[in-house]
Amino acid sequence: MLNETIRVAGVIPECVVNAPGGISYVIFAQGCKHNCPGCHNPETHDFNGGREWKVKDLLIDIEKYPLSNIVAFTGGDAFFQPNSFYELAKKLKEKQYTLVAYSGFYFEELIKDGARKKLLYEIDILIDGPFLQKQKDRNLNYRGSRNQRILDVKKSIEENQAVIMKKYYESMK
Ligand code: SF4
């Protein structure tokens, strides 16, 4: 399983802006079919772009940066590679990392899809929903448009509904 590959557009090993809660190792997943008009990372859409990393090599690289106790999956969208990201996420949770994922899918869609649900269950914080230009707002933390939410995944699963993490919302509209 650790030999599974993930298609990656790039990584930022120590980042203070991409994930709520602290310093994160950010993985930009390569491949996205949401095609949100105005997307900031169109170069991550092509499923043949970027490069392949073995899960085990990503793990080795992540552990080189002990300041990053959060790992963030952004993109692209990791939920288009749910099986290999699940293998990585499972190992990271065993090592006590906090996992943050950005997705163009909403929580309610992810929870209904077998493979995506399995990955979702490993995630701690989900920033969900497509980027919608009509709801674009530069004042939001971690989100580009007002439809997107910052969710506590464990509580959302427990309560079977999306539970937002108010502490990360600086400007609620
Ligand atoms: S989900 Fe994200 S990466 Fe994909 S098209 Fe929308 S904004 Fe771009």
Side-chain angles (χ1 to χ4, degrees):
M1 295 299 191
L2 292 179
N3 280 324
E4 281 222 40
T5 56
I6 295 182
R7 198 160 269 279
V8 172
V11 302
I12 303 175
E14 289 170 340
C15 179
V16 290
V17 294
N18 253 299
I23 300 172
S24 61
Y25 184 105
V26 182
I27 301 172
F28 292 84
Q30 181 71 33
C32 184
K33 288 186 187 168
H34 293 293
N35 283 320
C36 309
C39 169
H40 277 236
N41 294 328
E43 67 286 353
T44 65
H45 294 184
D46 181 0
F47 284 83
N48 296 311
R51 59 167 275 216
E52 287 191 326
W53 286 65
K54 285 190 173 155
V55 167
K56 67 179 178 190
D57 294 331
L58 271 169
L59 281 167
I60 290 167
D61 201 54
I62 290 165
E63 289 189 300
K64 285 184 195 161
Y65 301 93
L67 284 182
S68 294
N69 55 8
I70 301 169
V71 178
F73 302 157
T74 184
D77 190 332
F79 287 90
F80 283 114
Q81 304 181 69
N83 297 323
S84 47
F85 266 100
Y86 166 74
E87 293 302 332
L88 176 63
K90 193 175 61 170
K91 286 285 166 203
L92 290 170
K93 287 311 294 175
E94 285 169 15
K95 294 172 188 282
Q96 313 301 322
Y97 282 91
T98 298
L99 299 187
V100 174
Y102 289 77
S103 178
F105 295 103
Y106 287 109
F107 171 82
E108 292 81 357
E109 298 172 282
L110 296 173
I111 198 102
K112 284 188 199 144
D113 178 306
R116 291 184 179 131
K117 178 178 174 180
K118 212 169 150 190
L119 171 57
L120 177 70
Y121 269 57
E122 299 298 323
I123 303 299
D124 298 291
I125 301 173
L126 177 74
I127 294 104
D128 77 341
F131 170 68
L132 298 181
Q133 250 174 342
K134 280 191 175 164
Q135 297 194 42
K136 179 176 173 179
D137 189 336
R138 290 183 195 280
N139 297 317
L140 303 174
N141 280 339
Y142 307 111
R143 299 162 296 145
S145 54
R146 287 189 298 277
N147 61 301
Q148 296 170 323
R149 304 169 296 184
I150 305 172
L151 302 179
D152 182 324
V153 176
K154 305 294 176 245
K155 279 194 186 156
S156 300
I157 291 167
E158 265 169 40
E159 298 185 19
N160 202 26
Q161 62 178 349
V163 176
I164 64 169
M165 301 183 81
K166 281 202 180 127
K167 64 179 173 177
Y168 296 125
Y169 283 61
E170 213 151 68
S171 53
M172 292 274 289
K173 305 228 168 153

